[in-house]
Amino acid sequence: MAKRYTHKIFYMFQKEVLSSMQCGSMLKLVKDVQVHIVKRLGDLANFCEVSFDPSNQEIICSCKKFENEGIPCSHIIVVLRNNCIDCLPENLILKRWTTTAKSMTVHDDDGVELQAHGTSGKSNDRKNIEIVRGFVECLNDAPVEVCNVAKDMLVDLQKMASHSAGGSNNSPHCRSTSVPSIVNAHPPSISKTEGSGKRLMGENEIAMEEMSKRRTCSVCGKKDKHNARTCPKLKEMSSQNTQADPIPFNETQASNIN
């Protein structure tokens, strides 16, 4: 399986194989179909029922992992091992998980294989094949839900192709619009959120704004980091006043000195 599955899918399948080593099964027959009760060792409360038809190797598990993810679950691997089947049946190998999914052939509605011819008259066939191959490549690792959406898109494309082939322009996908001669482009509305409409200021602008916020000193009349009490000019004025006015000296003090 390492040569058939892609690397990612093979590692996922390998986990299921290792998980199957920790499971046991109990067989019961319902007509010609085998019904296996598969339980994990140590967990007797939870179990899955796997029905297996040996005639056509059709196998279905109640956990629905293969239907959802496209990979055989550990319960199916246990039943295949009990029936001595070493290789997975072809009905358990999805084409999109294999390494040859990119080289698959493309058929038309009548089941005829499309060939990419080198002539100029068949250039559209080559383009269509390349588009389909790219579409399949995108779906290689896609889940089942995405594949179902792709099927719906394919149905819509077929309807569009049938309308265009019939020359009908009434399809909602083929509406024609006229290009206006003048296009008026209006400026966007100004946002009212906090911080909108402001730009980053430079260092000089920030310094000027801080200077404008400072108070004017009433002594020196400058806008600096001081007020009237801490003004350096006030200190200079006080020192000048002390030097200009000497201490008074009376006659009694002079007589005492003598």
Side-chain angles (χ1 to χ4, degrees):
M1 297 308 300
K3 295 182 179 179
R4 298 199 62 181
Y5 277 142
T6 59
H7 292 291
K8 183 177 180 180
I9 300 301
F10 174 74
Y11 290 139
M12 296 174 64
F13 175 71
Q14 192 177 39
K15 291 181 181 179
E16 297 297 328
V17 174
L18 295 176
S19 179
S20 65
M21 301 294 182
Q22 303 176 359
C23 297
S25 64
M26 181 177 63
L27 173 65
K28 64 178 182 179
L29 293 175
V30 179
K31 294 183 179 180
D32 296 333
V33 179
Q34 300 178 6
V35 178
H36 296 258
I37 307 299
V38 183
K39 297 182 179 181
R40 185 176 293 275
L41 300 179
D43 186 8
L44 301 179
N46 300 320
F47 63 91
C48 291
E49 291 187 0
V50 182
S51 60
F52 176 63
D53 189 357
S55 60
N56 55 5
Q57 292 188 346
E58 183 179 358
I59 187 168
I60 301 174
C61 182
S62 60
C63 71
K64 302 297 181 181
K65 184 179 181 66
F66 178 74
E67 288 78 3
N68 294 330
E69 300 182 9
I71 302 173
C73 60
S74 57
H75 317 110
I76 291 178
I77 297 174
V78 170
V79 175
L80 294 178
R81 188 185 299 116
N82 293 341
N83 287 270
C84 300
I85 300 176
D86 298 331
C87 298
L88 285 179
E90 291 297 328
N91 57 354
L92 295 179
I93 302 175
L94 296 183
K95 183 72 174 178
R96 65 173 179 267
W97 301 143
T98 59
T99 56
T100 59
K102 296 181 182 180
S103 60
M104 63 183 297
T105 58
V106 181
H107 300 81
D108 57 7
D109 296 337
D110 298 329
V112 180
E113 180 180 351
L114 298 178
Q115 300 291 338
H117 302 284
T119 58
S120 59
K122 299 295 182 178
S123 59
N124 290 333
D125 292 342
R126 176 180 294 180
K127 293 180 181 179
N128 294 335
I129 291 175
E130 291 177 356
I131 293 173
V132 173
R133 286 181 177 175
F135 191 75
V136 173
E137 184 178 358
C138 295
L139 296 177
N140 280 341
D141 299 332
V144 179
E145 293 81 4
V146 177
C147 296
N148 293 333
V149 174
K151 290 180 181 178
D152 298 335
M153 293 174 60
L154 184 59
V155 173
D156 294 337
L157 290 174
Q158 290 176 351
K159 293 179 180 179
M160 292 174 61
S162 62
H163 282 293
S164 61
S168 175
N169 293 328
N170 296 327
S171 175
H173 302 283
C174 300
R175 293 176 181 174
S176 59
T177 57
S178 59
V179 179
S181 58
I182 299 175
V183 179
N184 296 324
H186 300 281
S189 57
I190 300 176
S191 178
K192 299 299 183 181
T193 57
E194 183 179 358
S196 63
K198 296 182 179 179
R199 63 178 181 85
L200 297 177
M201 296 188 298
E203 296 180 358
N204 296 333
E205 293 177 333
I206 294 175
M208 292 296 293
E209 186 177 1
E210 290 180 355
M211 287 291 294
S212 62
K213 292 180 181 179
R214 294 175 184 174
R215 292 184 178 181
T216 304
C217 179
S218 60
V219 178
C220 62
K222 296 181 180 179
K223 292 184 178 180
D224 206 346
K225 297 181 180 179
H226 65 268
N227 51 23
R229 295 182 179 180
T230 60
C231 181
K233 189 174 180 180
L234 184 62
K235 295 180 180 179
E236 294 177 0
M237 294 172 60
S238 61
S239 62
Q240 291 177 1
N241 293 332
T242 54
Q243 293 177 2
D245 299 332
I247 299 175
F249 191 76
N250 54 21
E251 296 178 355
T252 57
Q253 290 177 350
S255 62
N256 292 332
I257 293 174
N258 293 330

